[in-house]
Amino acid sequence: MIAPEPFFEPRGTPFSEFHRIRALVALGHEVDLVTYPFGQNVTMTGLRLFRSARPPFIRRVSVGPSLAKIPLDALLTLTVIRRAVGGRYDAIHSHEEGGLIGAPLAALLGVPHVYDMHSSLPQQLTNFAFSRSRIMRRLFVAIERFMIRRSRVVIVICPSLQDTVREIDPAARAVLIENAPGAGEERATLEQAAALRQSLGLTPSGPIVLYTGTFEAYQGLGLLFDAMVFVKRMRPDARLVLAGGTPDQVALARHEATVAGVDDVVVFAGERPASEIPAFLLACDVLVSPRSRGTNTPLKIYQYLRSGRAIVATRLLTHTQVLSDETAILTGATPEEFGGGILAALADPERARTIGERARKLAESKYSYEAYLEKTRQVCEALKPSTLDDAPSTKDQAPRANKEVA
């Protein structure tokens, strides 16, 4: 498995990679993960982790496209080749632009390639405001087409990406696996939720509006701060808590909140371990996702659904692929409308409870761990030589108890 990200870090794609690996080993496979030289080490039965060398002067890499990824991906390629030469693998499974490494290598080794598509590469240029160059966009489009057309299976995380794959190659086998594994998440207690409120300097019963996740521009935090102007006017007792963001991002967001005039009702909790997030969810009254750009469903939405709390989100494709008026309060992407959605949830606790309960039932019925495992099993089945006309012969290979994914 090729992961061109810091692994592990508490953010979208690394979370998805972690759960993908956990599902694969639960199904009896072995995974050799080749990843960047950054991140927390993860110990898991069936997983071996190999890190590439670190380029000089690069100590971290931000979310999305960046110049730092050029030397990082070059060194990642060398590590992947060394592992491929020294090992014997049944498949290569690449995340994001790692498919540019994995697809040709899989062809050379005569094994199937899985492309794990977490986003559309050309769309990243816009979402992260990386480049407006037409040449750059054409290059990203060409890379994306190459990775899709050279893969036996393409895993997509939301319906919009499934549509993208079909537009590029109608014959491609795309398997939709939402980022909603569910099982293994820690549950919080009321005592932990109360202690969290106290540690953040919040009253035991005052209303809390919670945002979790990264502070990237496409997340819409500017919209959220402007919306809190309207919330503060009607509910001065409400507090907005944000769990996430690097120190630099928090400093910038704090300045934006000050400019909006809501710094006195905003609490920045900073980046928190995944194990602490359930306590945040239990302590809050309303969950918000003000995302203003992109079409991928935020990973946080599935955790929001399972919490049983009312969700306020923008009425955009990024959310409506999963959420509806039955399971969330959907609003226009303006400060007044989004603030109105938050106020509606706070003003009518019974409605908020009903919406939250419907959301929880949706998560249990459609986004369960069993469903996640079954879809992962479908991907593995599609890679078996017996299902493929052009698969390499395994007649002379010694049998093994587990399959390996490089």
Side-chain angles (χ1 to χ4, degrees), residues 71-360:
L72 282 167
D73 284 348
L75 291 173
L76 183 69
T77 301
L78 293 177
T79 307
V80 168
I81 292 172
R82 283 199 298 269
R83 290 306 315 155
V85 169
R88 186 164 63 92
Y89 298 102
D90 298 307
I92 293 181
H93 185 146
S94 306
H95 295 268
E96 296 280 29
E97 79 272 10
L100 193 57
I101 306 168
L105 183 60
L108 286 172
L109 296 177
V111 298
H113 180 253
V114 180
Y115 172 37
D116 217 317
M117 188 177 183
H118 302 269
S119 61
S120 172
L121 292 185
Q123 194 178 91
Q124 285 190 21
L125 294 176
T126 303
N127 289 350
F128 292 94
F130 180 72
S131 173
R132 294 183 180 179
S133 166
R134 292 183 180 179
I135 295 175
M136 182 73 71
R137 180 173 178 80
R138 286 177 188 147
L139 176 62
F140 274 45
V141 167
I143 291 172
E144 184 168 88
R145 287 183 175 178
F146 172 80
M147 294 188 297
I148 289 171
R149 290 172 175 170
R150 295 289 180 173
S151 300
R152 190 65 52 78
V153 180
V154 180
I155 298 175
V156 294
I157 64 166
C158 61
S160 69
L161 287 178
Q162 197 167 36
D163 293 340
T164 298
V165 171
R166 286 171 177 163
E167 287 173 6
I168 292 173
D169 184 359
R173 176 157 190 167
V175 178
L176 173 61
I177 307 181
E178 295 92 345
N179 281 326
E185 290 185 350
E186 297 185 28
R187 296 187 180 278
T189 64
L190 291 174
E191 291 75 17
Q192 288 173 321
L196 177 65
R197 278 179 173 260
Q198 186 176 15
S199 70
L200 295 175
L202 302 170
T203 62
S205 58
I208 293 179
V209 179
L210 176 66
Y211 169 87
T212 68
T214 67
F215 280 25
E216 302 302 324
Y218 63 86
Q219 298 284 15
L221 293 187
L223 168 64
L224 180 56
F225 294 142
D226 290 340
M228 285 302 297
V229 172
F230 296 93
V231 176
K232 176 182 174 181
R233 189 178 302 159
M234 302 298 295
R235 292 296 301 265
D237 58 331
R239 296 293 180 267
L240 170 63
V241 175
L242 298 101
T246 64
D248 290 345
Q249 290 174 327
V250 169
L252 179 59
R254 196 185 299 276
H255 174 70
E256 292 177 353
T258 300
V259 171
V262 296
D263 53 302
D264 57 329
V265 297
V266 177
V267 177
F268 292 94
E271 287 185 321
R272 294 298 182 106
S275 59
E276 291 186 14
I277 298 303
F280 278 87
L281 298 172
L282 186 59
C284 79
D285 299 275
V286 181
L287 293 161
V288 291
S289 183
R291 187 173 288 202
S292 55
R293 279 185 277 173
T295 57
N296 296 349
T297 301
L299 185 145
K300 68 170 74 69
I301 290 299
Y302 302 103
Q303 194 173 33
Y304 281 9
L305 287 170
R306 285 190 292 272
S307 75
R309 292 290 190 259
I311 303 168
V312 178
T314 48
R315 194 186 292 277
L316 300 174
L317 181 61
T318 184
H319 294 127
T320 56
Q321 294 175 103
V322 172
L323 302 176
S324 69
D325 291 313
E326 295 292 309
T327 55
I329 297 175
L330 299 173
T331 78
T334 67
E336 186 171 5
E337 290 172 297
F338 201 77
I342 296 172
L343 287 170
L346 296 177
D348 192 344
E350 185 58 36
R351 180 192 175 198
R353 275 193 294 271
T354 299
I355 289 174
E357 187 56 32
R358 287 181 191 145
R360 192 203 305 271

